[in-house]
Structure formats: structure tokens, C-alpha cells
Amino acid sequence: MATRLGILLSGRGSNFLAIHAAIERGELPAEIALVASDRPEAAGLARARELGLPAAEVPLQQGGAAAQEAGLLAALEEAAVEWVCLAGYMRLLSPAFLGAFPQRIVNIHPSLLPAFPGREPQRQALEHGVKVSGCTVHLVDEGVDSGPIVVQRAVPVEEEDSVETLASRILAEEHRAYPEALRRLVGGGWRIEGRRVVFGESARPEIDRPTPGL
Ligand code: GRF
């Protein structure tokens, strides 16, 4: 059965579209069960509707952040979402929300974390003078861009780069990294060791491994 993804976005939605395209190409055994946004005017939400995907507006209203999050959670539960993918979602999630999807909330950030978390990471990278930057897909924990790393992809920083040119070089890699990370995560066979996400053979529990010498 295809894994049910819920996408949260606040803007353009190009990462959402990259995930959708990977599913359509048969590269990711998942389906988009819901695209939800805190911004009714988000371009990504309009694209979701054009594509015929379930879409929900959950804006901040009088009830404040807690009510907005409760509305979001209800929409995700109603859509039977299994994994939550943050794709340019500009609101922080509370510990209670994280607890509703333990180790099943994923984010993408346009820097090689732990360098340059938070706002304007491409500008931070240029101002710091790094020669390499990139993107990071990570599991979401209670910090800002601080959860266990799933996939990273690097790009060179060129002498003549502006924030825009660097952002667009990184974005092209984001569109590869996010579907790849989701493919690895929804496939299972991984575990968390300390801060590390460990995949493959070594991700199997000890009990399943053949005893050496037998
Ligand atoms: C991306 O750069 C992503 O890494 C960051 O927000 C941006 C969203 O872009 N978290 P898009 O809406 O997916 O095009």
C-alpha cells in the first residue's frame, strides 16, 4: 500500500511538485493524501487544486496558533496521513503536534546543516564565505532545523553568486533530495542511533542478524 503523505506549505510549492512528480514517475511508493497551507493564497495550494489533490486552507485565525495547529492536525488525521512533509511551511510546530507523528515529520532546509539553520540560509552562507553549500532533509524535532539528517546534497558556491543564483542552484538539488529521502524513509529498514539515521543492513535489529560462524 502506498504511504500516505501530508504536505504542509506556505508558498511556491516547488518541493511539493518535485515529490508529486517523483510519485507520478513511479519513483516513490507514496500518495499525496493532503496538501495543507496556513496561507490561503499560497501558489502551492493552487497547484495542488489544479492537480486534483485534496487541499486544505488552515490559516491563523482568532483562536491563535493552538487553534490553527488543532485544525491542521484534524485535517491530517481526517486524510489518514502517515508522514508529514514540511515543504516551505513557515510556522513552527508544537511538541504536541510532533508527538502526533513521532519520527514521521520531515523538513527540507536549503543549507548543509548544522551550518546556517533558521532564516535566509543562502544569505548566511554567502556572508560567511563558504565554498560549498547545499540542502538537508531531516526529521523534525523540537529545535529549529536540528533533527536527525536523512539526506544532504552539496553544491559549489561561485564567486559571482547572489542570494538568488545560489538559492536556485540549491533548489535544483532540493528537488532531488526530498523524493530520495522520502523513498528511503517510507521504505523502512532504518533506525535512529544517537543523532544518526542509519539505513540498510545495519538498520536491522540485532535479533534479525545471522549469528557469525553459523
Ligand atoms: C525551500 O528552499 C525549502 O528548502 C525551504 O523553503 C523553500 C520552499 O520552496 N524550507 P518551495 O515552496 O518548495 O518552492
Side-chain angles (χ1 to χ4, degrees), residues 132-151:
V132 175
S133 191
C135 63
T136 304
V137 182
H138 65 92
L139 297 175
V140 175
D141 66 8
E142 293 183 14
V144 175
D145 303 321
S146 59
I149 291 170
V150 182
V151 165

PDB file of all heavy atoms in Angstrom, residues 132-151:
ATOM      1  N   VAL A 132      31.179  25.728  -0.345  1.00  0.00           N
ATOM      2  CA  VAL A 132      30.220  24.668  -0.664  1.00  0.00           C
ATOM      3  C   VAL A 132      28.996  24.886   0.202  1.00  0.00           C
ATOM      4  O   VAL A 132      29.120  25.192   1.396  1.00  0.00           O
ATOM      5  CB  VAL A 132      30.825  23.272  -0.354  1.00  0.00           C
ATOM      6  CG1 VAL A 132      29.793  22.175  -0.576  1.00  0.00           C
ATOM      7  CG2 VAL A 132      32.059  23.009  -1.201  1.00  0.00           C
ATOM      8  N   SER A 133      27.812  24.766  -0.386  1.00  0.00           N
ATOM      9  CA  SER A 133      26.580  24.758   0.413  1.00  0.00           C
ATOM     10  C   SER A 133      25.695  23.636  -0.115  1.00  0.00           C
ATOM     11  O   SER A 133      26.205  22.725  -0.771  1.00  0.00           O
ATOM     12  CB  SER A 133      25.880  26.115   0.395  1.00  0.00           C
ATOM     13  OG  SER A 133      24.857  26.118   1.376  1.00  0.00           O
ATOM     14  N   GLY A 134      24.405  23.688   0.143  1.00  0.00           N
ATOM     15  CA  GLY A 134      23.561  22.599  -0.332  1.00  0.00           C
ATOM     16  C   GLY A 134      22.238  22.565   0.412  1.00  0.00           C
ATOM     17  O   GLY A 134      21.742  23.601   0.859  1.00  0.00           O
ATOM     18  N   CYS A 135      21.706  21.363   0.518  1.00  0.00           N
ATOM     19  CA  CYS A 135      20.415  21.231   1.195  1.00  0.00           C
ATOM     20  C   CYS A 135      20.434  19.998   2.089  1.00  0.00           C
ATOM     21  O   CYS A 135      21.233  19.082   1.893  1.00  0.00           O
ATOM     22  CB  CYS A 135      19.280  21.131   0.178  1.00  0.00           C
ATOM     23  SG  CYS A 135      19.378  19.693  -0.883  1.00  0.00           S
ATOM     24  N   THR A 136      19.536  20.017   3.044  1.00  0.00           N
ATOM     25  CA  THR A 136      19.435  18.938   4.026  1.00  0.00           C
ATOM     26  C   THR A 136      17.980  18.548   4.207  1.00  0.00           C
ATOM     27  O   THR A 136      17.132  19.419   4.435  1.00  0.00           O
ATOM     28  CB  THR A 136      19.971  19.405   5.405  1.00  0.00           C
ATOM     29  OG1 THR A 136      21.307  19.876   5.252  1.00  0.00           O
ATOM     30  CG2 THR A 136      19.928  18.272   6.426  1.00  0.00           C
ATOM     31  N   VAL A 137      17.696  17.257   4.110  1.00  0.00           N
ATOM     32  CA  VAL A 137      16.379  16.744   4.505  1.00  0.00           C
ATOM     33  C   VAL A 137      16.578  16.089   5.865  1.00  0.00           C
ATOM     34  O   VAL A 137      17.498  15.285   6.042  1.00  0.00           O
ATOM     35  CB  VAL A 137      15.845  15.712   3.500  1.00  0.00           C
ATOM     36  CG1 VAL A 137      14.450  15.244   3.916  1.00  0.00           C
ATOM     37  CG2 VAL A 137      15.820  16.295   2.094  1.00  0.00           C
ATOM     38  N   HIS A 138      15.739  16.474   6.815  1.00  0.00           N
ATOM     39  CA  HIS A 138      15.924  15.949   8.168  1.00  0.00           C
ATOM     40  C   HIS A 138      14.586  15.649   8.830  1.00  0.00           C
ATOM     41  O   HIS A 138      13.552  16.218   8.444  1.00  0.00           O
ATOM     42  CB  HIS A 138      16.742  16.943   9.011  1.00  0.00           C
ATOM     43  CG  HIS A 138      16.052  18.261   9.247  1.00  0.00           C
ATOM     44  ND1 HIS A 138      15.264  18.523  10.338  1.00  0.00           N
ATOM     45  CD2 HIS A 138      16.012  19.393   8.491  1.00  0.00           C
ATOM     46  CE1 HIS A 138      14.789  19.749  10.259  1.00  0.00           C
ATOM     47  NE2 HIS A 138      15.215  20.303   9.149  1.00  0.00           N
ATOM     48  N   LEU A 139      14.642  14.775   9.815  1.00  0.00           N
ATOM     49  CA  LEU A 139      13.460  14.543  10.644  1.00  0.00           C
ATOM     50  C   LEU A 139      13.306  15.751  11.560  1.00  0.00           C
ATOM     51  O   LEU A 139      14.303  16.373  11.943  1.00  0.00           O
ATOM     52  CB  LEU A 139      13.637  13.267  11.475  1.00  0.00           C
ATOM     53  CG  LEU A 139      13.767  11.975  10.662  1.00  0.00           C
ATOM     54  CD1 LEU A 139      14.064  10.787  11.584  1.00  0.00           C
ATOM     55  CD2 LEU A 139      12.487  11.701   9.870  1.00  0.00           C
ATOM     56  N   VAL A 140      12.086  16.080  11.884  1.00  0.00           N
ATOM     57  CA  VAL A 140      11.834  17.290  12.663  1.00  0.00           C
ATOM     58  C   VAL A 140      11.797  16.938  14.149  1.00  0.00           C
ATOM     59  O   VAL A 140      11.105  15.997  14.554  1.00  0.00           O
ATOM     60  CB  VAL A 140      10.509  17.937  12.227  1.00  0.00           C
ATOM     61  CG1 VAL A 140      10.167  19.132  13.115  1.00  0.00           C
ATOM     62  CG2 VAL A 140      10.606  18.375  10.768  1.00  0.00           C
ATOM     63  N   ASP A 141      12.581  17.691  14.924  1.00  0.00           N
ATOM     64  CA  ASP A 141      12.488  17.571  16.384  1.00  0.00           C
ATOM     65  C   ASP A 141      12.038  18.929  16.940  1.00  0.00           C
ATOM     66  O   ASP A 141      11.592  19.789  16.181  1.00  0.00           O
ATOM     67  CB  ASP A 141      13.803  17.054  16.987  1.00  0.00           C
ATOM     68  CG  ASP A 141      14.940  18.057  16.818  1.00  0.00           C
ATOM     69  OD1 ASP A 141      14.680  19.203  16.383  1.00  0.00           O
ATOM     70  OD2 ASP A 141      16.086  17.691  17.133  1.00  0.00           O
ATOM     71  N   GLU A 142      12.215  19.124  18.238  1.00  0.00           N
ATOM     72  CA  GLU A 142      11.649  20.339  18.829  1.00  0.00           C
ATOM     73  C   GLU A 142      12.469  21.597  18.552  1.00  0.00           C
ATOM     74  O   GLU A 142      12.026  22.704  18.820  1.00  0.00           O
ATOM     75  CB  GLU A 142      11.431  20.132  20.333  1.00  0.00           C
ATOM     76  CG  GLU A 142      10.349  19.090  20.559  1.00  0.00           C
ATOM     77  CD  GLU A 142      10.009  18.852  22.021  1.00  0.00           C
ATOM     78  OE1 GLU A 142      10.407  19.675  22.868  1.00  0.00           O
ATOM     79  OE2 GLU A 142       9.346  17.836  22.299  1.00  0.00           O
ATOM     80  N   GLY A 143      13.675  21.435  18.021  1.00  0.00           N
ATOM     81  CA  GLY A 143      14.506  22.603  17.722  1.00  0.00           C
ATOM     82  C   GLY A 143      14.236  23.148  16.328  1.00  0.00           C
ATOM     83  O   GLY A 143      13.361  22.663  15.603  1.00  0.00           O
ATOM     84  N   VAL A 144      15.002  24.169  15.965  1.00  0.00           N
ATOM     85  CA  VAL A 144      14.876  24.764  14.632  1.00  0.00           C
ATOM     86  C   VAL A 144      15.915  24.123  13.712  1.00  0.00           C
ATOM     87  O   VAL A 144      17.119  24.269  13.932  1.00  0.00           O
ATOM     88  CB  VAL A 144      15.088  26.296  14.696  1.00  0.00           C
ATOM     89  CG1 VAL A 144      15.085  26.895  13.290  1.00  0.00           C
ATOM     90  CG2 VAL A 144      14.009  26.938  15.554  1.00  0.00           C
ATOM     91  N   ASP A 145      15.455  23.374  12.726  1.00  0.00           N
ATOM     92  CA  ASP A 145      16.338  22.728  11.733  1.00  0.00           C
ATOM     93  C   ASP A 145      17.407  21.869  12.399  1.00  0.00           C
ATOM     94  O   ASP A 145      18.562  21.818  11.949  1.00  0.00           O
ATOM     95  CB  ASP A 145      17.006  23.802  10.830  1.00  0.00           C
ATOM     96  CG  ASP A 145      15.980  24.682  10.129  1.00  0.00           C
ATOM     97  OD1 ASP A 145      14.943  24.142   9.708  1.00  0.00           O
ATOM     98  OD2 ASP A 145      16.198  25.895  10.014  1.00  0.00           O
ATOM     99  N   SER A 146      17.032  21.180  13.476  1.00  0.00           N
ATOM    100  CA  SER A 146      18.040  20.488  14.290  1.00  0.00           C
ATOM    101  C   SER A 146      17.878  18.972  14.345  1.00  0.00           C
ATOM    102  O   SER A 146      18.668  18.307  15.003  1.00  0.00           O
ATOM    103  CB  SER A 146      17.999  21.050  15.718  1.00  0.00           C
ATOM    104  OG  SER A 146      16.701  20.860  16.253  1.00  0.00           O
ATOM    105  N   GLY A 147      16.894  18.408  13.674  1.00  0.00           N
ATOM    106  CA  GLY A 147      16.630  16.974  13.809  1.00  0.00           C
ATOM    107  C   GLY A 147      17.598  16.107  13.017  1.00  0.00           C
ATOM    108  O   GLY A 147      18.408  16.609  12.228  1.00  0.00           O
ATOM    109  N   PRO A 148      17.532  14.775  13.229  1.00  0.00           N
ATOM    110  CA  PRO A 148      18.441  13.847  12.559  1.00  0.00           C
ATOM    111  C   PRO A 148      18.398  13.971  11.036  1.00  0.00           C
ATOM    112  O   PRO A 148      17.329  14.068  10.423  1.00  0.00           O
ATOM    113  CB  PRO A 148      17.919  12.469  13.005  1.00  0.00           C
ATOM    114  CG  PRO A 148      17.213  12.724  14.290  1.00  0.00           C
ATOM    115  CD  PRO A 148      16.616  14.087  14.164  1.00  0.00           C
ATOM    116  N   ILE A 149      19.590  13.953  10.443  1.00  0.00           N
ATOM    117  CA  ILE A 149      19.750  14.189   8.997  1.00  0.00           C
ATOM    118  C   ILE A 149      19.476  12.913   8.204  1.00  0.00           C
ATOM    119  O   ILE A 149      19.985  11.844   8.530  1.00  0.00           O
ATOM    120  CB  ILE A 149      21.169  14.719   8.724  1.00  0.00           C
ATOM    121  CG1 ILE A 149      21.289  16.140   9.299  1.00  0.00           C
ATOM    122  CG2 ILE A 149      21.485  14.697   7.230  1.00  0.00           C
ATOM    123  CD1 ILE A 149      22.702  16.687   9.316  1.00  0.00           C
ATOM    124  N   VAL A 150      18.684  13.046   7.155  1.00  0.00           N
ATOM    125  CA  VAL A 150      18.318  11.899   6.315  1.00  0.00           C
ATOM    126  C   VAL A 150      19.136  11.905   5.022  1.00  0.00           C
ATOM    127  O   VAL A 150      19.743  10.906   4.651  1.00  0.00           O
ATOM    128  CB  VAL A 150      16.809  11.926   5.988  1.00  0.00           C
ATOM    129  CG1 VAL A 150      16.411  10.712   5.159  1.00  0.00           C
ATOM    130  CG2 VAL A 150      15.984  11.997   7.270  1.00  0.00           C
ATOM    131  N   VAL A 151      19.148  13.026   4.307  1.00  0.00           N
ATOM    132  CA  VAL A 151      19.873  13.151   3.040  1.00  0.00           C
ATOM    133  C   VAL A 151      20.428  14.569   2.946  1.00  0.00           C
ATOM    134  O   VAL A 151      19.764  15.524   3.353  1.00  0.00           O
ATOM    135  CB  VAL A 151      18.920  12.896   1.829  1.00  0.00           C
ATOM    136  CG1 VAL A 151      19.542  13.375   0.521  1.00  0.00           C
ATOM    137  CG2 VAL A 151      18.571  11.411   1.708  1.00  0.00           C
TER     138      VAL A 151
END
